[in-house]
Amino acid sequence: MGCGSSSDANDVTKSTDSGKNNGKDNLVEPQTDPADFPYIPDGYPPPNPSRTKKAKLFDESKYTHIEERAVNAPDTAGNSFTELFEYLFNGLNIELEKVRAIFCWIGHKNQTPCKGGPDDSPNAILQQVQNKNMSFAYIFARLCREADIPCVIIRGVAKSAGYEVGDDESKVRELNNRWAGVSVAGEWRIVFPLWAFSAIAGHSTGKYTLVESKGKAAREKEKRSTGENIVQLNEYYFLTDPEDFVNVAMATDPRWQFIGKQFNLEQFCNIPFLRQSYFNRNVEITSGFKSCLHSEYGVVKVGFKARNEKWEGFLTYKLYFNDEESESVLPTDLQLDRYVVMERNFEKWTFNVRCPVTGVYKLSINSKSSTSNDISLCDFKMFCDEVTEGGTKALPLDVGTIGWGPSNEMVKAGLTTPSQSKGIVKATAKKKVNFSFTCTKTVSIRTVLVHNETSSEELQSYVSHKHDKSSNKLNVSVCVPDEGEYALQILTKDKNTNKELNACNYIISTEPTPQQKKKKKKKRENVTERKARDDLKKASTGNDLEMLSIFIVKFQRMGLDDKGDLEIALKRQNFLVLEKGTYFLF
């Protein structure tokens, strides 16, 4: 059946039908199941943590014959429970096989409108489910119980299409949903039929503007949309491992979470928005494991690590600005390209988001391979209360998915054992910084030094390299001429293919860290800084919203002390926005 996410169109792997959403969150079950159907009957085995991983319990390839039989079930088989079970369970002896047959029958039968059948028959119930009069959890539990398989309906909250990362407890409480717990192989397992059989593609709250993607500038305002309904078959929500499931859907009664360390609502809200693909176990979050992250000196950091050093994929990102919740406004002359430093150290990634203006952001992390499109992994909401002292500057170079620092791509390009393991290297102007590598291939080397305001041709004399063929050592020497931030690119060309590859990149910075900048003694404002303050104060008394917004950003970039002037300007900006009656966006 394939894996996919019920709320992310990128992850839907098999869809058979779609249509405009009716404005409701169709990833939430209706509240109209039969009143005489107990969700948790008396006499069932008590809920306990699941002991067995899905990968060990269930091998999909061994159940293909069950799915094929469910696909080919005649419509008339669903006219009674007896007929349906005689057909589906033919040759099946264990509960897991029967549960699989029920799951597959509902999923495949749901791909087309059901014509119904005799009262209270499987066909009649499925028709009611498709008409949103009964829930998928009900038909799944009903079929299991009719087959004498213990099955409960579990109430809880789920991060469905209406969820946005960072939503507080009051909003999440409204995301009520239901799924099933079925007893197989001596333990309780989770099945979420609604999310297995349906999804919503293109849902958007309209709060965010995409401002940077993979190092490239963007200015794409999201449109508010309820999205489109997708009918799908998503294998992930069949026997989902409880310790993964609780990150996206949490049983209100902790006992029915089937985990040892049970979640409460606060924990559920405080974790990042983990998408289905995150649980493929390719990568894990190593720092910043929170739904809401706050900047430190204008920078927000999130760390990742590949669980397998030989993983061939890589990470990408998208940065969004929240237009509704941010007090600052993005001016027209500000393009947010090259503000995210994707630092590498082989199987490790650190995303350093250097916020150019104060406000609320969202960082979406995706995974990608050479043969696949971007797949969403997780989202974070970020709050920036101050920009970097002295203003935030764009990176000198867009290096794409290879990032900054040593990586597996460097090894493929013919270099190993780098002397510098971090992507950001501190330096002093007019003093040498050395880099060394071991060459594993017969390659020619080219080194380039890049700066935002000086051409690479002018900087060529400040970078040199030497390849010692006897030891296969490559030594690169850089001596930056002035204070600032530079990019070092090391490129290799394989003499057999004559193809040049970007092997490795480093940021060479002579600038003090944000912490050091903060500690430096404040100097008297110069003429330019005093003019920036005067312009801000003057604009704060007028009605020109565009000019005020420009002066606010200029003031923030220069890193001037507030002294109350910036606070007044921001309040005036907010007043002018409200007065106009529309949200002003440059």
Side-chain angles (χ1 to χ4, degrees), residues 26-46:
N26 284 347
L27 295 183
V28 174
E29 293 279 33
Q31 302 293 323
T32 50
D33 290 336
D36 60 351
F37 188 80
Y39 280 3
I40 303 177
D42 295 333
Y44 270 9

mmCIF file with all atom_site columns, all heavy atoms in Angstrom, residues 26-46:
data_model
loop_
_atom_site.group_PDB
_atom_site.id
_atom_site.type_symbol
_atom_site.label_atom_id
_atom_site.label_alt_id
_atom_site.label_comp_id
_atom_site.label_asym_id
_atom_site.label_entity_id
_atom_site.label_seq_id
_atom_site.pdbx_PDB_ins_code
_atom_site.Cartn_x
_atom_site.Cartn_y
_atom_site.Cartn_z
_atom_site.occupancy
_atom_site.B_iso_or_equiv
_atom_site.pdbx_formal_charge
_atom_site.auth_seq_id
_atom_site.auth_comp_id
_atom_site.auth_asym_id
_atom_site.auth_atom_id
_atom_site.pdbx_PDB_model_num
ATOM 1   N N   . ASN A 1 26 ? -11.586 17.486 7.311  1.00 0.00 ? 26 ASN A N   1
ATOM 2   C CA  . ASN A 1 26 ? -12.057 16.131 7.049  1.00 0.00 ? 26 ASN A CA  1
ATOM 3   C C   . ASN A 1 26 ? -11.101 15.062 7.544  1.00 0.00 ? 26 ASN A C   1
ATOM 4   O O   . ASN A 1 26 ? -11.306 13.877 7.294  1.00 0.00 ? 26 ASN A O   1
ATOM 5   C CB  . ASN A 1 26 ? -12.303 15.947 5.547  1.00 0.00 ? 26 ASN A CB  1
ATOM 6   C CG  . ASN A 1 26 ? -13.589 16.627 5.112  1.00 0.00 ? 26 ASN A CG  1
ATOM 7   O OD1 . ASN A 1 26 ? -14.399 17.018 5.943  1.00 0.00 ? 26 ASN A OD1 1
ATOM 8   N ND2 . ASN A 1 26 ? -13.779 16.775 3.821  1.00 0.00 ? 26 ASN A ND2 1
ATOM 9   N N   . LEU A 1 27 ? -10.052 15.471 8.241  1.00 0.00 ? 27 LEU A N   1
ATOM 10  C CA  . LEU A 1 27 ? -9.190  14.499 8.910  1.00 0.00 ? 27 LEU A CA  1
ATOM 11  C C   . LEU A 1 27 ? -9.612  14.338 10.362 1.00 0.00 ? 27 LEU A C   1
ATOM 12  O O   . LEU A 1 27 ? -8.855  13.853 11.189 1.00 0.00 ? 27 LEU A O   1
ATOM 13  C CB  . LEU A 1 27 ? -7.724  14.923 8.806  1.00 0.00 ? 27 LEU A CB  1
ATOM 14  C CG  . LEU A 1 27 ? -7.162  14.936 7.380  1.00 0.00 ? 27 LEU A CG  1
ATOM 15  C CD1 . LEU A 1 27 ? -5.696  15.306 7.392  1.00 0.00 ? 27 LEU A CD1 1
ATOM 16  C CD2 . LEU A 1 27 ? -7.346  13.584 6.717  1.00 0.00 ? 27 LEU A CD2 1
ATOM 17  N N   . VAL A 1 28 ? -10.826 14.748 10.664 1.00 0.00 ? 28 VAL A N   1
ATOM 18  C CA  . VAL A 1 28 ? -11.419 14.592 11.989 1.00 0.00 ? 28 VAL A CA  1
ATOM 19  C C   . VAL A 1 28 ? -12.698 13.776 11.831 1.00 0.00 ? 28 VAL A C   1
ATOM 20  O O   . VAL A 1 28 ? -13.520 14.047 10.953 1.00 0.00 ? 28 VAL A O   1
ATOM 21  C CB  . VAL A 1 28 ? -11.730 15.956 12.634 1.00 0.00 ? 28 VAL A CB  1
ATOM 22  C CG1 . VAL A 1 28 ? -12.475 15.769 13.946 1.00 0.00 ? 28 VAL A CG1 1
ATOM 23  C CG2 . VAL A 1 28 ? -10.450 16.743 12.854 1.00 0.00 ? 28 VAL A CG2 1
ATOM 24  N N   . GLU A 1 29 ? -12.865 12.765 12.688 1.00 0.00 ? 29 GLU A N   1
ATOM 25  C CA  . GLU A 1 29 ? -14.034 11.894 12.601 1.00 0.00 ? 29 GLU A CA  1
ATOM 26  C C   . GLU A 1 29 ? -15.310 12.628 13.024 1.00 0.00 ? 29 GLU A C   1
ATOM 27  O O   . GLU A 1 29 ? -15.285 13.459 13.938 1.00 0.00 ? 29 GLU A O   1
ATOM 28  C CB  . GLU A 1 29 ? -13.839 10.665 13.503 1.00 0.00 ? 29 GLU A CB  1
ATOM 29  C CG  . GLU A 1 29 ? -12.734 9.716  13.060 1.00 0.00 ? 29 GLU A CG  1
ATOM 30  C CD  . GLU A 1 29 ? -13.167 8.759  11.957 1.00 0.00 ? 29 GLU A CD  1
ATOM 31  O OE1 . GLU A 1 29 ? -14.002 9.149  11.124 1.00 0.00 ? 29 GLU A OE1 1
ATOM 32  O OE2 . GLU A 1 29 ? -12.652 7.623  11.938 1.00 0.00 ? 29 GLU A OE2 1
ATOM 33  N N   . PRO A 1 30 ? -16.450 12.313 12.387 1.00 0.00 ? 30 PRO A N   1
ATOM 34  C CA  . PRO A 1 30 ? -17.729 12.887 12.813 1.00 0.00 ? 30 PRO A CA  1
ATOM 35  C C   . PRO A 1 30 ? -18.135 12.328 14.174 1.00 0.00 ? 30 PRO A C   1
ATOM 36  O O   . PRO A 1 30 ? -17.698 11.248 14.579 1.00 0.00 ? 30 PRO A O   1
ATOM 37  C CB  . PRO A 1 30 ? -18.696 12.431 11.710 1.00 0.00 ? 30 PRO A CB  1
ATOM 38  C CG  . PRO A 1 30 ? -18.084 11.179 11.168 1.00 0.00 ? 30 PRO A CG  1
ATOM 39  C CD  . PRO A 1 30 ? -16.590 11.399 11.241 1.00 0.00 ? 30 PRO A CD  1
ATOM 40  N N   . GLN A 1 31 ? -18.989 13.048 14.860 1.00 0.00 ? 31 GLN A N   1
ATOM 41  C CA  . GLN A 1 31 ? -19.397 12.664 16.213 1.00 0.00 ? 31 GLN A CA  1
ATOM 42  C C   . GLN A 1 31 ? -20.763 11.968 16.213 1.00 0.00 ? 31 GLN A C   1
ATOM 43  O O   . GLN A 1 31 ? -21.566 12.166 17.125 1.00 0.00 ? 31 GLN A O   1
ATOM 44  C CB  . GLN A 1 31 ? -19.450 13.919 17.102 1.00 0.00 ? 31 GLN A CB  1
ATOM 45  C CG  . GLN A 1 31 ? -18.144 14.681 17.192 1.00 0.00 ? 31 GLN A CG  1
ATOM 46  C CD  . GLN A 1 31 ? -17.065 13.895 17.921 1.00 0.00 ? 31 GLN A CD  1
ATOM 47  O OE1 . GLN A 1 31 ? -17.349 13.185 18.881 1.00 0.00 ? 31 GLN A OE1 1
ATOM 48  N NE2 . GLN A 1 31 ? -15.829 14.024 17.463 1.00 0.00 ? 31 GLN A NE2 1
ATOM 49  N N   . THR A 1 32 ? -21.034 11.148 15.181 1.00 0.00 ? 32 THR A N   1
ATOM 50  C CA  . THR A 1 32 ? -22.389 10.602 15.025 1.00 0.00 ? 32 THR A CA  1
ATOM 51  C C   . THR A 1 32 ? -22.400 9.083  14.933 1.00 0.00 ? 32 THR A C   1
ATOM 52  O O   . THR A 1 32 ? -23.221 8.500  14.227 1.00 0.00 ? 32 THR A O   1
ATOM 53  C CB  . THR A 1 32 ? -23.040 11.206 13.765 1.00 0.00 ? 32 THR A CB  1
ATOM 54  O OG1 . THR A 1 32 ? -22.132 11.080 12.653 1.00 0.00 ? 32 THR A OG1 1
ATOM 55  C CG2 . THR A 1 32 ? -23.393 12.656 13.979 1.00 0.00 ? 32 THR A CG2 1
ATOM 56  N N   . ASP A 1 33 ? -21.486 8.419  15.636 1.00 0.00 ? 33 ASP A N   1
ATOM 57  C CA  . ASP A 1 33 ? -21.530 6.950  15.680 1.00 0.00 ? 33 ASP A CA  1
ATOM 58  C C   . ASP A 1 33 ? -22.752 6.486  16.476 1.00 0.00 ? 33 ASP A C   1
ATOM 59  O O   . ASP A 1 33 ? -23.276 7.241  17.315 1.00 0.00 ? 33 ASP A O   1
ATOM 60  C CB  . ASP A 1 33 ? -20.256 6.404  16.326 1.00 0.00 ? 33 ASP A CB  1
ATOM 61  C CG  . ASP A 1 33 ? -19.034 6.595  15.444 1.00 0.00 ? 33 ASP A CG  1
ATOM 62  O OD1 . ASP A 1 33 ? -19.206 6.711  14.221 1.00 0.00 ? 33 ASP A OD1 1
ATOM 63  O OD2 . ASP A 1 33 ? -17.920 6.642  15.994 1.00 0.00 ? 33 ASP A OD2 1
ATOM 64  N N   . PRO A 1 34 ? -23.212 5.265  16.232 1.00 0.00 ? 34 PRO A N   1
ATOM 65  C CA  . PRO A 1 34 ? -24.376 4.750  16.987 1.00 0.00 ? 34 PRO A CA  1
ATOM 66  C C   . PRO A 1 34 ? -24.158 4.836  18.498 1.00 0.00 ? 34 PRO A C   1
ATOM 67  O O   . PRO A 1 34 ? -23.108 4.439  19.011 1.00 0.00 ? 34 PRO A O   1
ATOM 68  C CB  . PRO A 1 34 ? -24.472 3.290  16.520 1.00 0.00 ? 34 PRO A CB  1
ATOM 69  C CG  . PRO A 1 34 ? -23.868 3.301  15.145 1.00 0.00 ? 34 PRO A CG  1
ATOM 70  C CD  . PRO A 1 34 ? -22.757 4.305  15.210 1.00 0.00 ? 34 PRO A CD  1
ATOM 71  N N   . ALA A 1 35 ? -25.160 5.334  19.190 1.00 0.00 ? 35 ALA A N   1
ATOM 72  C CA  . ALA A 1 35 ? -25.041 5.562  20.634 1.00 0.00 ? 35 ALA A CA  1
ATOM 73  C C   . ALA A 1 35 ? -24.939 4.263  21.419 1.00 0.00 ? 35 ALA A C   1
ATOM 74  O O   . ALA A 1 35 ? -24.407 4.250  22.540 1.00 0.00 ? 35 ALA A O   1
ATOM 75  C CB  . ALA A 1 35 ? -26.238 6.381  21.119 1.00 0.00 ? 35 ALA A CB  1
ATOM 76  N N   . ASP A 1 36 ? -25.438 3.167  20.857 1.00 0.00 ? 36 ASP A N   1
ATOM 77  C CA  . ASP A 1 36 ? -25.429 1.900  21.595 1.00 0.00 ? 36 ASP A CA  1
ATOM 78  C C   . ASP A 1 36 ? -24.155 1.083  21.344 1.00 0.00 ? 36 ASP A C   1
ATOM 79  O O   . ASP A 1 36 ? -24.103 -0.100 21.702 1.00 0.00 ? 36 ASP A O   1
ATOM 80  C CB  . ASP A 1 36 ? -26.660 1.071  21.234 1.00 0.00 ? 36 ASP A CB  1
ATOM 81  C CG  . ASP A 1 36 ? -26.715 0.736  19.737 1.00 0.00 ? 36 ASP A CG  1
ATOM 82  O OD1 . ASP A 1 36 ? -25.902 1.296  18.971 1.00 0.00 ? 36 ASP A OD1 1
ATOM 83  O OD2 . ASP A 1 36 ? -27.574 -0.075 19.350 1.00 0.00 ? 36 ASP A OD2 1
ATOM 84  N N   . PHE A 1 37 ? -23.154 1.695  20.735 1.00 0.00 ? 37 PHE A N   1
ATOM 85  C CA  . PHE A 1 37 ? -21.902 0.989  20.455 1.00 0.00 ? 37 PHE A CA  1
ATOM 86  C C   . PHE A 1 37 ? -20.835 1.482  21.438 1.00 0.00 ? 37 PHE A C   1
ATOM 87  O O   . PHE A 1 37 ? -20.312 2.588  21.302 1.00 0.00 ? 37 PHE A O   1
ATOM 88  C CB  . PHE A 1 37 ? -21.449 1.271  19.019 1.00 0.00 ? 37 PHE A CB  1
ATOM 89  C CG  . PHE A 1 37 ? -20.270 0.437  18.573 1.00 0.00 ? 37 PHE A CG  1
ATOM 90  C CD1 . PHE A 1 37 ? -20.434 -0.870 18.158 1.00 0.00 ? 37 PHE A CD1 1
ATOM 91  C CD2 . PHE A 1 37 ? -18.977 0.970  18.575 1.00 0.00 ? 37 PHE A CD2 1
ATOM 92  C CE1 . PHE A 1 37 ? -19.357 -1.632 17.731 1.00 0.00 ? 37 PHE A CE1 1
ATOM 93  C CE2 . PHE A 1 37 ? -17.892 0.219  18.162 1.00 0.00 ? 37 PHE A CE2 1
ATOM 94  C CZ  . PHE A 1 37 ? -18.081 -1.092 17.735 1.00 0.00 ? 37 PHE A CZ  1
ATOM 95  N N   . PRO A 1 38 ? -20.520 0.706  22.470 1.00 0.00 ? 38 PRO A N   1
ATOM 96  C CA  . PRO A 1 38 ? -19.553 1.168  23.472 1.00 0.00 ? 38 PRO A CA  1
ATOM 97  C C   . PRO A 1 38 ? -18.150 1.259  22.866 1.00 0.00 ? 38 PRO A C   1
ATOM 98  O O   . PRO A 1 38 ? -17.701 0.329  22.189 1.00 0.00 ? 38 PRO A O   1
ATOM 99  C CB  . PRO A 1 38 ? -19.626 0.096  24.559 1.00 0.00 ? 38 PRO A CB  1
ATOM 100 C CG  . PRO A 1 38 ? -20.093 -1.133 23.851 1.00 0.00 ? 38 PRO A CG  1
ATOM 101 C CD  . PRO A 1 38 ? -21.006 -0.660 22.765 1.00 0.00 ? 38 PRO A CD  1
ATOM 102 N N   . TYR A 1 39 ? -17.474 2.372  23.133 1.00 0.00 ? 39 TYR A N   1
ATOM 103 C CA  . TYR A 1 39 ? -16.129 2.538  22.589 1.00 0.00 ? 39 TYR A CA  1
ATOM 104 C C   . TYR A 1 39 ? -15.150 1.560  23.233 1.00 0.00 ? 39 TYR A C   1
ATOM 105 O O   . TYR A 1 39 ? -14.268 1.018  22.570 1.00 0.00 ? 39 TYR A O   1
ATOM 106 C CB  . TYR A 1 39 ? -15.656 3.977  22.775 1.00 0.00 ? 39 TYR A CB  1
ATOM 107 C CG  . TYR A 1 39 ? -16.216 4.937  21.749 1.00 0.00 ? 39 TYR A CG  1
ATOM 108 C CD1 . TYR A 1 39 ? -17.121 4.502  20.794 1.00 0.00 ? 39 TYR A CD1 1
ATOM 109 C CD2 . TYR A 1 39 ? -15.834 6.265  21.735 1.00 0.00 ? 39 TYR A CD2 1
ATOM 110 C CE1 . TYR A 1 39 ? -17.641 5.372  19.852 1.00 0.00 ? 39 TYR A CE1 1
ATOM 111 C CE2 . TYR A 1 39 ? -16.338 7.150  20.785 1.00 0.00 ? 39 TYR A CE2 1
ATOM 112 C CZ  . TYR A 1 39 ? -17.248 6.706  19.846 1.00 0.00 ? 39 TYR A CZ  1
ATOM 113 O OH  . TYR A 1 39 ? -17.750 7.554  18.912 1.00 0.00 ? 39 TYR A OH  1
ATOM 114 N N   . ILE A 1 40 ? -15.306 1.338  24.544 1.00 0.00 ? 40 ILE A N   1
ATOM 115 C CA  . ILE A 1 40 ? -14.424 0.402  25.248 1.00 0.00 ? 40 ILE A CA  1
ATOM 116 C C   . ILE A 1 40 ? -15.300 -0.541 26.059 1.00 0.00 ? 40 ILE A C   1
ATOM 117 O O   . ILE A 1 40 ? -15.728 -0.220 27.175 1.00 0.00 ? 40 ILE A O   1
ATOM 118 C CB  . ILE A 1 40 ? -13.429 1.150  26.160 1.00 0.00 ? 40 ILE A CB  1
ATOM 119 C CG1 . ILE A 1 40 ? -12.597 2.148  25.345 1.00 0.00 ? 40 ILE A CG1 1
ATOM 120 C CG2 . ILE A 1 40 ? -12.520 0.166  26.892 1.00 0.00 ? 40 ILE A CG2 1
ATOM 121 C CD1 . ILE A 1 40 ? -11.633 2.989  26.158 1.00 0.00 ? 40 ILE A CD1 1
ATOM 122 N N   . PRO A 1 41 ? -15.605 -1.712 25.513 1.00 0.00 ? 41 PRO A N   1
ATOM 123 C CA  . PRO A 1 41 ? -16.500 -2.647 26.216 1.00 0.00 ? 41 PRO A CA  1
ATOM 124 C C   . PRO A 1 41 ? -15.848 -3.223 27.472 1.00 0.00 ? 41 PRO A C   1
ATOM 125 O O   . PRO A 1 41 ? -14.615 -3.277 27.598 1.00 0.00 ? 41 PRO A O   1
ATOM 126 C CB  . PRO A 1 41 ? -16.728 -3.758 25.179 1.00 0.00 ? 41 PRO A CB  1
ATOM 127 C CG  . PRO A 1 41 ? -16.305 -3.170 23.861 1.00 0.00 ? 41 PRO A CG  1
ATOM 128 C CD  . PRO A 1 41 ? -15.224 -2.194 24.186 1.00 0.00 ? 41 PRO A CD  1
ATOM 129 N N   . ASP A 1 42 ? -16.671 -3.644 28.394 1.00 0.00 ? 42 ASP A N   1
ATOM 130 C CA  . ASP A 1 42 ? -16.173 -4.317 29.599 1.00 0.00 ? 42 ASP A CA  1
ATOM 131 C C   . ASP A 1 42 ? -15.610 -5.691 29.222 1.00 0.00 ? 42 ASP A C   1
ATOM 132 O O   . ASP A 1 42 ? -16.038 -6.332 28.254 1.00 0.00 ? 42 ASP A O   1
ATOM 133 C CB  . ASP A 1 42 ? -17.315 -4.504 30.605 1.00 0.00 ? 42 ASP A CB  1
ATOM 134 C CG  . ASP A 1 42 ? -17.831 -3.171 31.126 1.00 0.00 ? 42 ASP A CG  1
ATOM 135 O OD1 . ASP A 1 42 ? -17.036 -2.209 31.143 1.00 0.00 ? 42 ASP A OD1 1
ATOM 136 O OD2 . ASP A 1 42 ? -19.018 -3.096 31.498 1.00 0.00 ? 42 ASP A OD2 1
ATOM 137 N N   . GLY A 1 43 ? -14.653 -6.134 30.009 1.00 0.00 ? 43 GLY A N   1
ATOM 138 C CA  . GLY A 1 43 ? -14.118 -7.478 29.826 1.00 0.00 ? 43 GLY A CA  1
ATOM 139 C C   . GLY A 1 43 ? -12.968 -7.594 28.853 1.00 0.00 ? 43 GLY A C   1
ATOM 140 O O   . GLY A 1 43 ? -12.454 -8.701 28.633 1.00 0.00 ? 43 GLY A O   1
ATOM 141 N N   . TYR A 1 44 ? -12.563 -6.493 28.248 1.00 0.00 ? 44 TYR A N   1
ATOM 142 C CA  . TYR A 1 44 ? -11.439 -6.533 27.308 1.00 0.00 ? 44 TYR A CA  1
ATOM 143 C C   . TYR A 1 44 ? -10.106 -6.597 28.060 1.00 0.00 ? 44 TYR A C   1
ATOM 144 O O   . TYR A 1 44 ? -10.027 -6.195 29.222 1.00 0.00 ? 44 TYR A O   1
ATOM 145 C CB  . TYR A 1 44 ? -11.452 -5.299 26.420 1.00 0.00 ? 44 TYR A CB  1
ATOM 146 C CG  . TYR A 1 44 ? -12.252 -5.455 25.144 1.00 0.00 ? 44 TYR A CG  1
ATOM 147 C CD1 . TYR A 1 44 ? -13.059 -6.561 24.913 1.00 0.00 ? 44 TYR A CD1 1
ATOM 148 C CD2 . TYR A 1 44 ? -12.185 -4.491 24.138 1.00 0.00 ? 44 TYR A CD2 1
ATOM 149 C CE1 . TYR A 1 44 ? -13.789 -6.696 23.743 1.00 0.00 ? 44 TYR A CE1 1
ATOM 150 C CE2 . TYR A 1 44 ? -12.904 -4.617 22.960 1.00 0.00 ? 44 TYR A CE2 1
ATOM 151 C CZ  . TYR A 1 44 ? -13.704 -5.731 22.777 1.00 0.00 ? 44 TYR A CZ  1
ATOM 152 O OH  . TYR A 1 44 ? -14.422 -5.870 21.611 1.00 0.00 ? 44 TYR A OH  1
ATOM 153 N N   . PRO A 1 45 ? -9.044  -7.083 27.422 1.00 0.00 ? 45 PRO A N   1
ATOM 154 C CA  . PRO A 1 45 ? -7.724  -7.066 28.070 1.00 0.00 ? 45 PRO A CA  1
ATOM 155 C C   . PRO A 1 45 ? -7.329  -5.635 28.443 1.00 0.00 ? 45 PRO A C   1
ATOM 156 O O   . PRO A 1 45 ? -7.637  -4.690 27.703 1.00 0.00 ? 45 PRO A O   1
ATOM 157 C CB  . PRO A 1 45 ? -6.787  -7.622 26.985 1.00 0.00 ? 45 PRO A CB  1
ATOM 158 C CG  . PRO A 1 45 ? -7.678  -8.390 26.068 1.00 0.00 ? 45 PRO A CG  1
ATOM 159 C CD  . PRO A 1 45 ? -8.996  -7.691 26.091 1.00 0.00 ? 45 PRO A CD  1
ATOM 160 N N   . PRO A 1 46 ? -6.691  -5.438 29.588 1.00 0.00 ? 46 PRO A N   1
ATOM 161 C CA  . PRO A 1 46 ? -6.300  -4.075 29.981 1.00 0.00 ? 46 PRO A CA  1
ATOM 162 C C   . PRO A 1 46 ? -5.252  -3.504 29.034 1.00 0.00 ? 46 PRO A C   1
ATOM 163 O O   . PRO A 1 46 ? -4.455  -4.247 28.455 1.00 0.00 ? 46 PRO A O   1
ATOM 164 C CB  . PRO A 1 46 ? -5.723  -4.274 31.391 1.00 0.00 ? 46 PRO A CB  1
ATOM 165 C CG  . PRO A 1 46 ? -5.245  -5.690 31.390 1.00 0.00 ? 46 PRO A CG  1
ATOM 166 C CD  . PRO A 1 46 ? -6.213  -6.452 30.538 1.00 0.00 ? 46 PRO A CD  1
#
